[in-house]
Amino acid sequence: MAPTASVEHEELPAPSPDEVAPRFAPLYRQIKTLLTKRLRAGEWKPGEPIPSETELAARFRVSQGTVRKAIDELAADNLLVRRQGRGTFVASHLEARTQFRFLRLRPDNLPEAKPTGEPHPAMPGERSVQGQVLRSQVLECRRARGSAEIFRALQLRAGESLVQVRRVLDLEGEPTVLDEIWLPGARFRGLTAERLANYSGPLYALLEAEFGVRMIRAEERIKAVTAPAEVARVLHVKAGTPLLRVDRVSSTYESEPVEFRRGWCLTERHHYYNELG
Amino acid sequence: MAPTASVEHEELPAPSPDEVAPRFAPLYRQIKTLLTKRLRAGEWKPGEPIPSETELAARFRVSQGTVRKAIDELAADNLLVRRQGRGTFVASHLEARTQFRFLRLRPDNLPEAKPTGEPHPAMPGERSVQGQVLRSQVLECRRARGSAEIFRALQLRAGESLVQVRRVLDLEGEPTVLDEIWLPGARFRGLTAERLANYSGPLYALLEAEFGVRMIRAEERIKAVTAPAEVARVLHVKAGTPLLRVDRVSSTYESEPVEFRRGWCLTERHHYYNELG
DNA sequence: TAGTGGTCTAGACCACCGT
DNA sequence: CGGTGGTCTAGACCACTAA
């Protein structure tokens, strides 16, 4: 394909006469890497469209099909969202479709409606998601110490500053989850209880909009425990009630961990839902 | 591409002048559907190769790229496995790579080794998977009644026969999971405790090899509970110990449910691991 | 060496979207 | 309508595997 005359041509990184790791990376993966770097660098912001496939093909001097395959993988990784007839967009936690992508707690009844992502109207301060009414209430937000485990998970040196957020999630009006969240202070300086309280939306949407940090993926480790006294008090249950303790480490681009979260979940009327493929 | 002269041409289902559901299905999806039907019908058995892309293209009178895209999706769905230079094979629970694909329990220590699927040698009756030693001990296998919930999950009419298997999983030599498994009697007639005891391998591998039922996907619903007396006895813990109760419904081709399983998991030294994308 | 999947290209046409 | 992504084709070439 002849590149459009007016389009400036950007060279691919030199064919690397003698690289180490994957001796030969397919062209479309090189393109994918380049696109990932630009996303990470913020060249296109969440919610914005990236250039069309044909334009990218011209820029990189490859065929449209090759760009397409790179974008296919980025879309499969949830970094990009394709919209037929409109373009390809940088994924965002601000959009209804991808909000609460990481929330795995479901009410026990409710005929497992496939997540449509179309929110229903709800009371102020509440959000409706997958048919359940959700309300978040911030208990505190302060600089805090963290365990060695947390520093390790976030790949920080001991002594680096941490911000801790504690909040309760009400599902259907009942306090159901107590979240204890630790964030690296360096990235999230200026996060306060007020800003959290004034913001009605998912936490990740706020972190994305205000701090430019987009959560891409996470891993969770789940145990069954008995409720500590303090947790029990917040969730209005007796100390010793069995709870799900869900530890989550979430990451941005290139698997860089930026959040450690410990959720204490009451599963009297809810469950953690998971699909195995 | 001209079809090989010796290859018999199989017509695609007539272009359906006026179908209902997805008014226009892309060609590659029609191919995917055809291939799925043949897999389901057992035209190619687990572990066997399917015809090459070029041969399928000739049979279906489409280009190789179209077949390729259909196979791509089937591979992404874990129905097929591609092996460069060798061919494309029907996925099987009998192979090391895909054994224990559904086992989400991990030891707490152990530096989260990515599942390599390469088993280490182990004692007879034991299997080594992801660095942990695993031993399954069948407690019983008998015809049984089931709750309304189970019949609903398996889409059976009340009164149809059920087989129940109860077993303990030892991880690192410690009893860690009590599984209560219900299977539709019609499909698994002849399953006995002896056959289970004599078989050293994953349950799903046995069900696949002996009954021709291949588990494709599953959904799990998890709660935190306290151990009932009977469960506690088997796991060597005090009644009331917090446990993960994992309810699983697994399905074959086309989401046909064929197993209900309730696992009681001790999480003193293990956790349920999950990745969110 | 022959056969398989994997990559890349180039171009045609379609479905969808906003104007 | 023009532009975008989505599908389909046809053929060339590469990398891997087994005989």
Side-chain angles (χ1 to χ4, degrees):
Chain A
M1 166 184 296
T4 308
S6 64
V7 172
E8 199 167 351
H9 167 223
E10 310 179 26
E11 209 45 77
L12 280 179
S16 66
D18 210 87
E19 286 282 354
V20 206
R23 189 58 175 275
F24 297 114
L27 236 195
Y28 74 88
R29 279 205 186 281
Q30 300 177 37
I31 304 292
K32 182 184 178 186
T33 302
L34 287 179
L35 290 174
T36 303
K37 278 185 183 149
R38 295 181 183 216
L39 285 168
R40 179 190 167 85
E43 179 159 335
W44 312 292
K45 300 264 179 284
E48 289 179 5
I50 67 172
S52 75
E53 295 181 353
T54 49
E55 177 170 349
L56 288 172
R59 280 201 204 175
F60 293 135
R61 290 271 206 178
V62 298
S63 80
Q64 194 239 20
T66 301
V67 170
R68 169 157 265 274
K69 188 146 189 189
I71 292 181
D72 276 347
E73 292 202 351
L74 290 168
D77 295 345
N78 289 310
L79 296 192
L80 296 177
V81 179
R82 292 175 169 291
R83 287 191 209 147
Q84 162 139 189
R86 306 225 279 126
T88 301
F89 298 76
V90 182
S92 165
H93 284 286
L94 293 165
E95 295 171 40
R97 307 211 121 57
T98 50
Q99 278 183 17
F100 304 107
R101 182 153 55 93
F102 292 172
L103 179 62
R104 285 305 230 269
L105 222 55
R106 304 272 190 277
D108 285 340
N109 39 29
L110 228 66
E112 194 52 57
K114 283 293 170 191
T116 62
E118 297 300 351
H120 298 196
M123 298 295 291
E126 294 183 343
R127 279 112 39 173
S128 181
V129 54
Q130 289 152 8
Q132 60 183 319
V133 179
L134 194 149
R135 194 173 112 85
S136 166
Q137 196 177 334
V138 175
L139 302 182
E140 59 177 334
C141 173
R142 56 183 178 79
R143 305 173 98 258
R145 270 196 277 273
S147 64
E149 179 189 10
I150 293 173
F151 279 98
R152 199 179 334 110
L154 295 179
Q155 295 175 12
L156 297 177
R157 284 185 297 278
E160 290 196 74
S161 91
L162 283 178
V163 177
Q164 186 193 18
V165 178
R166 294 177 73 244
R167 67 166 187 190
V168 191
L169 252 45
D170 288 14
L171 269 43
E172 313 293 343
E174 312 246 352
T176 307
V177 182
L178 170 60
D179 276 327
E180 302 174 318
I181 302 169
W182 286 266
L183 303 165
R187 274 179 185 269
F188 298 100
R189 200 163 305 291
L191 183 64
T192 63
E194 290 72 41
R195 284 172 87 174
L196 286 165
N198 291 336
Y199 189 89
S200 79
L203 173 62
Y204 288 172
L206 184 154
L207 298 182
E208 174 182 306
E210 311 256 328
F211 298 91
V213 176
R214 206 187 110 65
M215 302 299 181
I216 305 291
R217 57 179 297 281
E219 38 184 38
E220 296 192 325
R221 293 179 171 77
I222 307 175
K223 281 173 176 279
V225 299
T226 52
E230 160 67 4
V231 175
R233 199 180 54 72
V234 174
L235 297 180
H236 300 173
V237 295
K238 284 203 289 270
T241 302
L243 298 180
L244 244 39
R245 198 195 74 185
V246 182
D247 285 355
R248 174 192 295 180
V249 177
S250 10
S251 311
T252 339
Y253 298 102
E254 336 239 19
S255 302
E256 192 184 5
V258 285
E259 181 204 33
F260 180 90
R261 168 188 302 211
R262 173 161 291 178
W264 307 84
C265 310
L266 182 60
T267 55
E268 299 277 346
R269 279 176 295 278
H270 295 80
H271 59 269
Y272 184 99
Y273 179 76
N274 194 23
E275 299 194 359
L276 312 180
Chain B
M1 168 183 297
T4 308
S6 64
V7 171
E8 198 165 352
H9 166 221
E10 309 180 25
E11 208 45 76
L12 279 179
S16 68
D18 211 86
E19 286 282 353
V20 207
R23 190 58 175 275
F24 297 113
L27 236 196
Y28 74 89
R29 279 205 185 279
Q30 299 178 39
I31 304 293
K32 182 184 179 186
T33 302
L34 288 179
L35 290 174
T36 303
K37 276 185 184 149
R38 294 180 184 217
L39 286 168
R40 178 190 167 86
E43 179 160 335
W44 312 292
K45 301 265 180 282
E48 290 179 4
I50 68 171
S52 75
E53 296 182 352
T54 50
E55 176 170 349
L56 289 172
R59 279 201 203 174
F60 292 135
R61 290 272 205 176
V62 298
S63 81
Q64 194 240 20
T66 300
V67 170
R68 169 157 265 272
K69 186 144 191 191
I71 292 181
D72 276 345
E73 292 203 349
L74 290 168
D77 294 345
N78 290 309
L79 296 191
L80 296 177
V81 178
R82 292 174 168 292
R83 286 188 210 148
Q84 162 139 192
R86 305 224 280 126
T88 301
F89 298 76
V90 182
S92 165
H93 284 287
L94 293 166
E95 295 171 39
R97 307 213 120 55
T98 49
Q99 276 182 20
F100 305 107
R101 183 153 54 92
F102 292 173
L103 179 61
R104 286 303 228 269
L105 222 56
R106 304 272 190 277
D108 285 339
N109 38 28
L110 229 66
E112 194 51 58
K114 283 293 169 189
T116 62
E118 297 301 351
H120 298 195
M123 298 294 291
E126 294 182 344
R127 280 114 37 176
S128 181
V129 56
Q130 289 152 9
Q132 60 183 320
V133 179
L134 195 149
R135 194 173 113 85
S136 165
Q137 196 177 335
V138 175
L139 302 182
E140 59 177 334
C141 173
R142 56 185 177 78
R143 306 173 96 259
R145 271 195 278 273
S147 64
E149 178 189 11
I150 292 172
F151 280 97
R152 201 180 333 111
L154 295 179
Q155 296 175 11
L156 297 177
R157 283 184 298 278
E160 290 196 75
S161 91
L162 283 180
V163 177
Q164 187 194 16
V165 178
R166 294 177 74 242
R167 67 165 186 189
V168 191
L169 252 45
D170 288 13
L171 267 44
E172 312 294 343
E174 312 244 352
T176 307
V177 182
L178 169 61
D179 276 326
E180 303 174 316
I181 301 168
W182 286 267
L183 302 164
R187 274 178 185 269
F188 298 100
R189 201 163 304 292
L191 183 63
T192 63
E194 291 73 39
R195 283 173 88 175
L196 286 166
N198 291 336
Y199 190 88
S200 78
L203 174 62
Y204 288 171
L206 184 154
L207 298 182
E208 173 182 307
E210 310 256 328
F211 298 91
V213 176
R214 208 187 109 65
M215 302 298 181
I216 304 291
R217 56 179 298 280
E219 38 184 39
E220 296 193 325
R221 294 179 171 78
I222 307 174
K223 281 173 177 278
V225 300
T226 53
E230 161 67 4
V231 176
R233 198 180 55 71
V234 175
L235 296 181
H236 301 170
V237 295
K238 285 203 288 273
T241 302
L243 298 179
L244 244 39
R245 198 194 75 185
V246 182
D247 285 356
R248 175 192 296 180
V249 177
S250 10
S251 310
T252 339
Y253 298 100
E254 337 237 21
S255 302
E256 193 183 7
V258 286
E259 182 205 33
F260 181 90
R261 168 188 302 209
R262 173 161 291 178
W264 307 83
C265 310
L266 182 60
T267 55
E268 300 276 347
R269 279 175 295 278
H270 296 79
H271 59 268
Y272 184 99
Y273 179 76
N274 194 23
E275 299 193 359
L276 311 180

